[in-house]
mmCIF file of all heavy atoms in Angstrom:
data_model
loop_
_atom_site.group_PDB
_atom_site.id
_atom_site.type_symbol
_atom_site.label_atom_id
_atom_site.label_comp_id
_atom_site.label_asym_id
_atom_site.label_seq_id
_atom_site.Cartn_x
_atom_site.Cartn_y
_atom_site.Cartn_z
ATOM 1 N N LEU R 123 -22.818 5.317 -15.808
ATOM 2 C CA LEU R 123 -21.829 4.349 -16.267
ATOM 3 C C LEU R 123 -21.573 4.504 -17.761
ATOM 4 O O LEU R 123 -20.440 4.339 -18.222
ATOM 5 C CB LEU R 123 -22.278 2.921 -15.950
ATOM 6 C CG LEU R 123 -21.242 1.831 -16.252
ATOM 7 C CD1 LEU R 123 -19.930 2.090 -15.511
ATOM 8 C CD2 LEU R 123 -21.784 0.448 -15.905
ATOM 9 N N SER R 124 -22.600 4.839 -18.526
ATOM 10 C CA SER R 124 -22.397 5.088 -19.961
ATOM 11 C C SER R 124 -21.476 6.283 -20.173
ATOM 12 O O SER R 124 -20.594 6.263 -21.046
ATOM 13 C CB SER R 124 -23.742 5.344 -20.641
ATOM 14 O OG SER R 124 -24.531 4.180 -20.667
ATOM 15 N N LEU R 125 -21.664 7.335 -19.374
ATOM 16 C CA LEU R 125 -20.799 8.512 -19.488
ATOM 17 C C LEU R 125 -19.354 8.157 -19.157
ATOM 18 O O LEU R 125 -18.419 8.560 -19.854
ATOM 19 C CB LEU R 125 -21.298 9.608 -18.549
ATOM 20 C CG LEU R 125 -22.668 10.211 -18.875
ATOM 21 C CD1 LEU R 125 -23.149 11.104 -17.739
ATOM 22 C CD2 LEU R 125 -22.604 11.006 -20.184
ATOM 23 N N ALA R 126 -19.172 7.394 -18.079
ATOM 24 C CA ALA R 126 -17.819 7.003 -17.690
ATOM 25 C C ALA R 126 -17.182 6.089 -18.730
ATOM 26 O O ALA R 126 -15.985 6.199 -19.029
ATOM 27 C CB ALA R 126 -17.850 6.318 -16.326
ATOM 28 N N ALA R 127 -17.973 5.182 -19.295
ATOM 29 C CA ALA R 127 -17.450 4.291 -20.336
ATOM 30 C C ALA R 127 -17.018 5.093 -21.553
ATOM 31 O O ALA R 127 -15.976 4.813 -22.165
ATOM 32 C CB ALA R 127 -18.503 3.252 -20.721
ATOM 33 N N GLY R 128 -17.811 6.094 -21.906
ATOM 34 C CA GLY R 128 -17.437 6.953 -23.026
ATOM 35 C C GLY R 128 -16.143 7.702 -22.762
ATOM 36 O O GLY R 128 -15.285 7.835 -23.647
ATOM 37 N N ALA R 129 -15.978 8.186 -21.516
ATOM 38 C CA ALA R 129 -14.752 8.892 -21.155
ATOM 39 C C ALA R 129 -13.554 7.944 -21.205
ATOM 40 O O ALA R 129 -12.462 8.326 -21.650
ATOM 41 C CB ALA R 129 -14.895 9.504 -19.768
ATOM 42 N N ALA R 130 -13.744 6.713 -20.740
ATOM 43 C CA ALA R 130 -12.657 5.730 -20.772
ATOM 44 C C ALA R 130 -12.266 5.386 -22.207
ATOM 45 O O ALA R 130 -11.078 5.290 -22.542
ATOM 46 C CB ALA R 130 -13.073 4.467 -20.020
ATOM 47 N N LEU R 131 -13.258 5.207 -23.049
ATOM 48 C CA LEU R 131 -12.992 4.867 -24.453
ATOM 49 C C LEU R 131 -12.300 6.023 -25.167
ATOM 50 O O LEU R 131 -11.330 5.817 -25.915
ATOM 51 C CB LEU R 131 -14.297 4.523 -25.163
ATOM 52 C CG LEU R 131 -14.203 4.108 -26.629
ATOM 53 C CD1 LEU R 131 -13.321 2.873 -26.789
ATOM 54 C CD2 LEU R 131 -15.600 3.841 -27.200
ATOM 55 N N ALA R 132 -12.759 7.243 -24.902
ATOM 56 C CA ALA R 132 -12.132 8.413 -25.530
ATOM 57 C C ALA R 132 -10.693 8.561 -25.078
ATOM 58 O O ALA R 132 -9.798 8.833 -25.896
ATOM 59 C CB ALA R 132 -12.931 9.675 -25.180
ATOM 60 N N GLY R 133 -10.457 8.377 -23.777
ATOM 61 C CA GLY R 133 -9.096 8.490 -23.274
ATOM 62 C C GLY R 133 -8.162 7.488 -23.924
ATOM 63 O O GLY R 133 -7.019 7.823 -24.283
ATOM 64 N N ARG R 134 -8.640 6.266 -24.092
ATOM 65 C CA ARG R 134 -7.791 5.242 -24.702
ATOM 66 C C ARG R 134 -7.497 5.558 -26.162
ATOM 67 O O ARG R 134 -6.365 5.422 -26.630
ATOM 68 C CB ARG R 134 -8.449 3.872 -24.582
ATOM 69 C CG ARG R 134 -7.515 2.737 -24.978
ATOM 70 C CD ARG R 134 -8.125 1.385 -24.722
ATOM 71 N NE ARG R 134 -9.225 1.103 -25.636
ATOM 72 C CZ ARG R 134 -9.993 0.016 -25.555
ATOM 73 N NH1 ARG R 134 -9.789 -0.859 -24.582
ATOM 74 N NH2 ARG R 134 -10.959 -0.184 -26.430
ATOM 75 N N ARG R 135 -8.536 5.986 -26.903
ATOM 76 C CA ARG R 135 -8.337 6.277 -28.325
ATOM 77 C C ARG R 135 -7.431 7.477 -28.543
ATOM 78 O O ARG R 135 -6.751 7.576 -29.574
ATOM 79 C CB ARG R 135 -9.698 6.485 -28.997
ATOM 80 C CG ARG R 135 -10.483 5.189 -29.130
ATOM 81 C CD ARG R 135 -11.767 5.369 -29.914
ATOM 82 N NE ARG R 135 -12.407 4.085 -30.168
ATOM 83 C CZ ARG R 135 -13.565 3.943 -30.814
ATOM 84 N NH1 ARG R 135 -14.211 5.010 -31.267
ATOM 85 N NH2 ARG R 135 -14.066 2.732 -31.003
ATOM 86 N N LEU R 136 -7.411 8.389 -27.579
ATOM 87 C CA LEU R 136 -6.542 9.557 -27.680
ATOM 88 C C LEU R 136 -5.151 9.287 -27.123
ATOM 89 O O LEU R 136 -4.281 10.163 -27.147
ATOM 90 C CB LEU R 136 -7.176 10.735 -26.938
ATOM 91 C CG LEU R 136 -8.451 11.306 -27.581
ATOM 92 C CD1 LEU R 136 -9.116 12.295 -26.644
ATOM 93 C CD2 LEU R 136 -8.124 11.964 -28.923
ATOM 94 N N GLY R 137 -4.942 8.066 -26.596
ATOM 95 C CA GLY R 137 -3.638 7.702 -26.074
ATOM 96 C C GLY R 137 -3.282 8.369 -24.770
ATOM 97 O O GLY R 137 -2.107 8.546 -24.457
ATOM 98 N N ARG R 138 -4.295 8.714 -23.978
ATOM 99 C CA ARG R 138 -4.056 9.385 -22.703
ATOM 100 C C ARG R 138 -4.084 8.385 -21.552
ATOM 101 O O ARG R 138 -4.744 7.347 -21.636
ATOM 102 C CB ARG R 138 -5.114 10.471 -22.483
ATOM 103 C CG ARG R 138 -4.975 11.629 -23.475
ATOM 104 C CD ARG R 138 -6.095 12.625 -23.340
ATOM 105 N NE ARG R 138 -5.913 13.735 -24.276
ATOM 106 C CZ ARG R 138 -6.887 14.555 -24.661
ATOM 107 N NH1 ARG R 138 -8.106 14.380 -24.178
ATOM 108 N NH2 ARG R 138 -6.633 15.535 -25.502
ATOM 109 N N PRO R 139 -3.400 8.698 -20.451
ATOM 110 C CA PRO R 139 -3.346 7.776 -19.315
ATOM 111 C C PRO R 139 -4.551 7.870 -18.385
ATOM 112 O O PRO R 139 -4.593 7.167 -17.375
ATOM 113 C CB PRO R 139 -2.072 8.224 -18.584
ATOM 114 C CG PRO R 139 -2.007 9.694 -18.846
ATOM 115 C CD PRO R 139 -2.518 9.868 -20.255
ATOM 116 N N SER R 140 -5.504 8.695 -18.719
ATOM 117 C CA SER R 140 -6.631 8.935 -17.824
ATOM 118 C C SER R 140 -7.504 7.697 -17.664
ATOM 119 O O SER R 140 -7.669 6.894 -18.587
ATOM 120 C CB SER R 140 -7.482 10.099 -18.337
ATOM 121 O OG SER R 140 -7.939 9.857 -19.648
ATOM 122 N N ARG R 141 -8.055 7.566 -16.463
ATOM 123 C CA ARG R 141 -9.001 6.498 -16.154
ATOM 124 C C ARG R 141 -10.369 7.117 -15.871
ATOM 125 O O ARG R 141 -10.491 8.324 -15.678
ATOM 126 C CB ARG R 141 -8.521 5.717 -14.927
ATOM 127 C CG ARG R 141 -7.124 5.135 -15.067
ATOM 128 C CD ARG R 141 -6.590 4.653 -13.724
ATOM 129 N NE ARG R 141 -6.432 5.767 -12.776
ATOM 130 C CZ ARG R 141 -6.101 5.619 -11.489
ATOM 131 N NH1 ARG R 141 -5.917 4.406 -11.005
ATOM 132 N NH2 ARG R 141 -5.969 6.661 -10.699
ATOM 133 N N ALA R 142 -11.392 6.289 -15.840
ATOM 134 C CA ALA R 142 -12.738 6.769 -15.539
ATOM 135 C C ALA R 142 -13.340 5.920 -14.429
ATOM 136 O O ALA R 142 -13.218 4.692 -14.425
ATOM 137 C CB ALA R 142 -13.621 6.709 -16.781
ATOM 138 N N PHE R 143 -13.975 6.589 -13.486
ATOM 139 C CA PHE R 143 -14.614 5.950 -12.336
ATOM 140 C C PHE R 143 -16.066 6.418 -12.279
ATOM 141 O O PHE R 143 -16.347 7.595 -12.493
ATOM 142 C CB PHE R 143 -13.925 6.345 -11.030
ATOM 143 C CG PHE R 143 -12.506 5.872 -10.900
ATOM 144 C CD1 PHE R 143 -11.473 6.493 -11.609
ATOM 145 C CD2 PHE R 143 -12.194 4.811 -10.050
ATOM 146 C CE1 PHE R 143 -10.157 6.064 -11.472
ATOM 147 C CE2 PHE R 143 -10.875 4.381 -9.911
ATOM 148 C CZ PHE R 143 -9.860 5.006 -10.624
ATOM 149 N N ALA R 144 -16.964 5.495 -11.961
ATOM 150 C CA ALA R 144 -18.381 5.846 -11.795
ATOM 151 C C ALA R 144 -18.896 5.244 -10.504
ATOM 152 O O ALA R 144 -18.713 4.045 -10.259
ATOM 153 C CB ALA R 144 -19.214 5.341 -12.975
ATOM 154 N N LEU R 145 -19.517 6.066 -9.675
ATOM 155 C CA LEU R 145 -20.156 5.584 -8.457
ATOM 156 C C LEU R 145 -21.642 5.428 -8.720
ATOM 157 O O LEU R 145 -22.331 6.391 -9.079
ATOM 158 C CB LEU R 145 -19.921 6.548 -7.299
ATOM 159 C CG LEU R 145 -20.527 6.135 -5.955
ATOM 160 C CD1 LEU R 145 -19.970 4.793 -5.477
ATOM 161 C CD2 LEU R 145 -20.283 7.215 -4.900
ATOM 162 N N ILE R 146 -22.137 4.192 -8.538
ATOM 163 C CA ILE R 146 -23.508 3.831 -8.900
ATOM 164 C C ILE R 146 -24.263 3.400 -7.650
ATOM 165 O O ILE R 146 -23.718 2.702 -6.794
ATOM 166 C CB ILE R 146 -23.495 2.656 -9.914
ATOM 167 C CG1 ILE R 146 -22.583 2.978 -11.094
ATOM 168 C CG2 ILE R 146 -24.901 2.316 -10.386
ATOM 169 C CD1 ILE R 146 -22.302 1.768 -11.961
ATOM 170 N N GLY R 147 -25.521 3.775 -7.542
ATOM 171 C CA GLY R 147 -26.358 3.276 -6.462
ATOM 172 C C GLY R 147 -26.815 1.864 -6.760
ATOM 173 O O GLY R 147 -26.990 1.492 -7.932
ATOM 174 N N ASP R 148 -27.023 1.054 -5.728
ATOM 175 C CA ASP R 148 -27.445 -0.326 -6.015
ATOM 176 C C ASP R 148 -28.866 -0.371 -6.565
ATOM 177 O O ASP R 148 -29.169 -1.153 -7.467
ATOM 178 C CB ASP R 148 -27.256 -1.250 -4.813
ATOM 179 C CG ASP R 148 -27.856 -0.736 -3.516
ATOM 180 O OD1 ASP R 148 -28.443 0.370 -3.504
ATOM 181 O OD2 ASP R 148 -27.737 -1.439 -2.495
ATOM 182 N N GLY R 149 -29.764 0.480 -6.082
ATOM 183 C CA GLY R 149 -31.104 0.535 -6.655
ATOM 184 C C GLY R 149 -31.068 0.943 -8.119
ATOM 185 O O GLY R 149 -31.914 0.546 -8.926
ATOM 186 N N GLU R 150 -30.061 1.732 -8.477
ATOM 187 C CA GLU R 150 -29.892 2.186 -9.854
ATOM 188 C C GLU R 150 -29.631 1.027 -10.813
ATOM 189 O O GLU R 150 -29.887 1.134 -12.020
ATOM 190 C CB GLU R 150 -28.735 3.180 -9.894
ATOM 191 C CG GLU R 150 -28.499 3.864 -11.216
ATOM 192 C CD GLU R 150 -27.357 4.865 -11.153
ATOM 193 O OE1 GLU R 150 -26.772 5.044 -10.063
ATOM 194 O OE2 GLU R 150 -27.050 5.454 -12.205
ATOM 195 N N LEU R 151 -29.133 -0.078 -10.284
ATOM 196 C CA LEU R 151 -28.840 -1.229 -11.138
ATOM 197 C C LEU R 151 -30.105 -1.857 -11.720
ATOM 198 O O LEU R 151 -30.016 -2.743 -12.569
ATOM 199 C CB LEU R 151 -28.058 -2.280 -10.344
ATOM 200 C CG LEU R 151 -26.673 -1.865 -9.864
ATOM 201 C CD1 LEU R 151 -26.017 -2.992 -9.079
ATOM 202 C CD2 LEU R 151 -25.785 -1.448 -11.023
ATOM 203 N N GLN R 152 -31.257 -1.415 -11.282
ATOM 204 C CA GLN R 152 -32.507 -1.896 -11.856
ATOM 205 C C GLN R 152 -32.837 -1.196 -13.177
ATOM 206 O O GLN R 152 -33.815 -1.549 -13.838
ATOM 207 C CB GLN R 152 -33.632 -1.722 -10.837
ATOM 208 C CG GLN R 152 -33.420 -2.583 -9.591
ATOM 209 C CD GLN R 152 -34.257 -2.140 -8.406
ATOM 210 O OE1 GLN R 152 -35.044 -1.215 -8.497
ATOM 211 N NE2 GLN R 152 -34.074 -2.802 -7.268
ATOM 212 N N GLU R 153 -32.010 -0.217 -13.542
ATOM 213 C CA GLU R 153 -32.174 0.480 -14.824
ATOM 214 C C GLU R 153 -31.504 -0.327 -15.930
ATOM 215 O O GLU R 153 -30.322 -0.674 -15.836
ATOM 216 C CB GLU R 153 -31.539 1.871 -14.761
ATOM 217 C CG GLU R 153 -32.154 2.806 -13.730
ATOM 218 C CD GLU R 153 -33.404 3.488 -14.240
ATOM 219 O OE1 GLU R 153 -33.774 3.259 -15.414
ATOM 220 O OE2 GLU R 153 -34.006 4.262 -13.471
#
Side-chain angles (χ1 to χ4, degrees):
L123 186 57
S124 292
L125 294 170
L131 182 59
R134 190 174 70 185
R135 289 186 173 179
L136 291 170
R138 292 174 178 160
S140 57
R141 304 167 296 174
F143 295 75
L145 181 60
I146 308 168
D148 51 0
E150 186 178 358
L151 296 179
Q152 296 163 3
E153 298 277 358

